[in-house]
Amino acid sequence: MSDLIDDPQPGQNLPEFTVAEISGAVKRTLEDQFSRVRVRGEVGRVFTARSGHLYYDIKDDKNVLACTTWKGQVSRLSVVPEEGLEVVVTGRLTAFGGQSKYNMNVEEVAVAGKGALMALLEKRKAQLQAEGLFEQSRKRPLPYLPEIIGVVTSPSGAVIRDILHRLRDRFPRKVLIWPVAVQGEACAREVANAIDGFNLLTPGGALPRPDLLIVARGGGSIEDLWGFNEEIVARAAARSEIPLISAVGHETDTTLIDYVSDRRAPTPTAAAEMAVPVRMELLAWVGEQQTRLVRALSARVDQRGQRLRDLGRALRRPETLLEGPQQRYDLMSDRLPTALMRGVERRRVALSEASGSLRPGLLARMLGQDQRRISNSADRLAPALQRAALAKREALGRRADRLTPRVIERDIAQGRDRLEALTRRLKDAGTRQTTAPRDRLEALMRLHETLGYKATLKRGYAVVYGDGGQVVGTKAAAEAAAGLEIEFADGKFKIGGTTRKSATKPKPPEQGSLF
């Protein structure tokens, strides 16, 4: 009866939670109480997973807060965390019950203070300079008079109006404007995409590719101009195939894009002046050059004419040049008929002498001699051919006795006998070389089975496993375990509470260990 009215022990009436229930309650409490927080600290280790998620730590001199930015959120960060950078992160706290840990899902990262911004700027500047992006040798010259100019800036600011006004005053050109945000989170990404987009245009296409790019923005604080200090903007300007002028801020403002661009302009208006010459000055220069050219050509023609006249006075008169050839022509024309007559007479005499020796009887006698010579040669040809054929036939008969299959068959039989002998020797040697290692291997396997713990179990011993699948070797360890699992030669069985399975297969006892 006393048991019915006794007070319960302290804590017995508290509700019981499962592990999943308590983890979910902790997660909901954290997300409700810290749904939107800002934390300041120094960035520790930074790790980018293969999936694209970003993991990093925010720490001070005593504590560390694990932070996560998911893949879809990384592209919206205005500042990418770098180790050693002091930042202010904004997001919400949450918990991961699978490891009993809490962390912060960060949606925004901002640099803490102007000093940290300058430190980050110097770090990026040193990195890009080490890669050679600031080298003067890689900068391209600007075209003297570009047909099309691409401008990357805000479409609503005073900068674009100043550039267009200055171009119209100096030398009107076609201008393509790529509107971008010139400050804020989207600034760096939009400026980099604009530079890459202009470079992807086809020269001479429906939307022609510019011959020159101007990236422009008005003055402001370092925070306002920070988008042009981002690494993606500097790298986009460095890989641009189109010559690029940087006109960001006033003359005293300097950003990373100024170092990698082909030319830096102190102001957007100065960038327009660098882009094109003054049309009126160019026309005046062309007119002056034309006048100088006409004057030089006239002087040159006059000089050549005077020289021609001077040289003409030193030449002989045309009449005197033809007097000698005319005399030779008259002399030759008088001698030509006599020479022709003598030549014809000489050739007639030679023909008469040659025709006297070419009588038909002489030709018939020479033809008969040639026929008799051919007949004599033909009579001797047939016996000579027969004698040569007989000699070849006799030589072939002498060699035919040696070209019988018996000799080849004898050589083949000898080779086959040698091959069989070598095969038998090789087989015997292989058998001798494999028998001894096989015997040693079988002996080692028998010894391994004899020394293994499975053979020990067959002799009546057992293995005891405790929590986590660890082998229990002492009485104290067995009493401290929540449950035990005993392995015999024919199987296992459990004693007490359920033992928690280890993440890996339990390690068997060492060879020869007995429990």
Side-chain angles (χ1 to χ4, degrees), residues 311-465:
L311 292 174
R313 287 193 293 268
L315 294 175
R316 298 170 59 184
R317 295 192 308 275
E319 295 81 3
T320 59
L321 294 176
L322 295 177
E323 288 177 355
Q326 286 179 350
Q327 291 177 358
R328 286 194 299 272
Y329 172 74
D330 295 337
L331 179 61
M332 292 299 177
S333 61
D334 294 339
R335 296 171 58 185
L336 181 60
T338 305
L340 289 176
M341 293 175 63
R342 283 200 302 269
V344 171
E345 186 65 27
R346 187 169 56 254
R347 284 171 176 77
R348 182 182 295 112
V349 173
L351 178 60
S352 299
E353 293 176 352
S355 61
S357 62
L358 295 176
R359 293 188 299 275
L362 178 62
L363 293 176
R365 187 168 55 254
M366 294 175 62
L367 182 60
Q369 292 175 358
D370 292 339
Q371 287 178 348
R372 286 192 298 271
R373 192 166 50 253
I374 293 173
S375 298
N376 294 333
S377 299
D379 294 339
R380 294 195 302 270
L381 180 61
L385 290 176
Q386 291 177 359
R387 287 194 300 273
L390 182 60
K392 295 292 184 182
R393 189 178 294 111
E394 291 175 353
L396 179 61
R398 289 193 299 270
R399 289 180 175 84
D401 295 338
R402 291 180 292 176
L403 298 176
T404 59
R406 290 191 301 273
V407 178
I408 300 175
E409 291 175 353
R410 185 176 62 253
D411 294 341
I412 293 175
Q414 293 176 356
R416 184 182 297 110
D417 294 340
R418 288 196 299 271
L419 178 61
E420 290 177 354
L422 290 174
T423 302
R424 287 192 299 272
R425 291 175 60 190
L426 180 62
K427 184 177 179 180
D428 295 341
T431 302
R432 289 194 301 271
Q433 291 181 1
T434 58
T435 300
R438 184 184 298 111
D439 295 341
R440 289 196 299 271
L441 178 61
E442 291 177 354
L444 291 174
M445 292 179 63
R446 289 193 298 272
L447 180 61
H448 178 269
E449 293 177 356
T450 304
L451 297 179
Y453 89 101
K454 292 291 186 180
T456 305
L457 294 180
K458 292 180 181 179
R459 294 199 295 270
Y461 292 92
V463 180
V464 181
Y465 299 100

Side-chain angles (χ1 to χ4, degrees), residues 176-198:
L176 293 179
I177 302 174
W178 195 301
V180 296
V182 292
Q183 68 182 48
E185 299 178 2
C187 172
R189 184 175 63 258
E190 291 185 4
V191 172
N193 291 338
I195 296 174
D196 292 336
F198 271 131

Side-chain angles (χ1 to χ4, degrees), residues 138-218:
R138 61 175 304 279
K139 297 183 182 296
R140 294 171 294 276
L142 304 182
Y144 180 71
L145 187 59
E147 290 291 333
I148 302 172
I149 300 175
V151 180
V152 179
T153 188
S154 173
S156 58
V159 171
I160 186 60
R161 292 195 296 271
D162 293 342
I163 293 176
L164 294 177
H165 177 72
R166 197 60 177 163
L167 290 176
R168 186 165 52 250
D169 290 345
R170 291 176 65 86
F171 206 121
R173 297 281 85 187
K174 294 180 181 179
V175 178
L176 293 179
I177 302 174
W178 195 301
V180 296
V182 292
Q183 68 182 48
E185 299 178 2
C187 172
R189 184 175 63 258
E190 291 185 4
V191 172
N193 291 338
I195 296 174
D196 292 336
F198 271 131
N199 279 270
L200 291 176
L201 294 178
T202 304
L207 187 61
R209 176 178 172 179
D211 303 314
L212 178 67
L213 294 183
I214 298 177
V215 179
R217 187 206 186 280

Side-chain angles (χ1 to χ4, degrees), residues 219-258:
S221 63
I222 185 174
E223 290 82 2
D224 296 336
L225 303 178
W226 188 252
F228 298 91
N229 287 319
E230 292 292 347
E231 185 176 352
I232 59 173
V233 174
R235 294 192 180 277
R239 64 173 172 266
S240 174
E241 298 179 358
I242 305 174
L244 186 144
I245 300 177
S246 170
V248 178
H250 298 305
E251 187 170 358
T252 57
D253 298 324
T254 304
T255 57
L256 279 182
I257 193 175
D258 296 331

Side-chain angles (χ1 to χ4, degrees), residues 268-326:
T269 303
E273 295 176 354
M274 292 180 182
V276 294
V278 179
R279 185 170 183 270
M280 298 307 298
E281 292 179 357
L282 187 59
L283 289 175
W285 180 83
V286 171
E288 181 183 353
Q289 296 301 316
Q290 182 178 5
T291 302
R292 293 178 60 189
L293 179 61
V294 171
R295 189 183 305 117
L297 288 175
S298 299
R300 191 68 170 173
V301 170
D302 294 340
Q303 182 182 2
R304 291 290 181 176
Q306 183 62 40
R307 183 171 179 78
L308 180 61
R309 289 189 293 271
D310 295 341
L311 292 174
R313 287 193 293 268
L315 294 175
R316 298 170 59 184
R317 295 192 308 275
E319 295 81 3
T320 59
L321 294 176
L322 295 177
E323 288 177 355
Q326 286 179 350

Side-chain angles (χ1 to χ4, degrees), residues 457 461-487 495 499-500 506-510 513-515:
L457 294 180
Y461 292 92
V463 180
V464 181
Y465 299 100
D467 296 339
Q470 301 296 323
V471 176
V472 177
T474 62
K475 176 183 177 183
E479 291 175 349
L484 301 175
E485 185 177 10
I486 304 176
E487 181 181 3
I495 301 177
T499 59
R500 185 175 63 183
K507 180 180 179 182
E510 297 180 356
S513 299
L514 302 178
F515 299 97

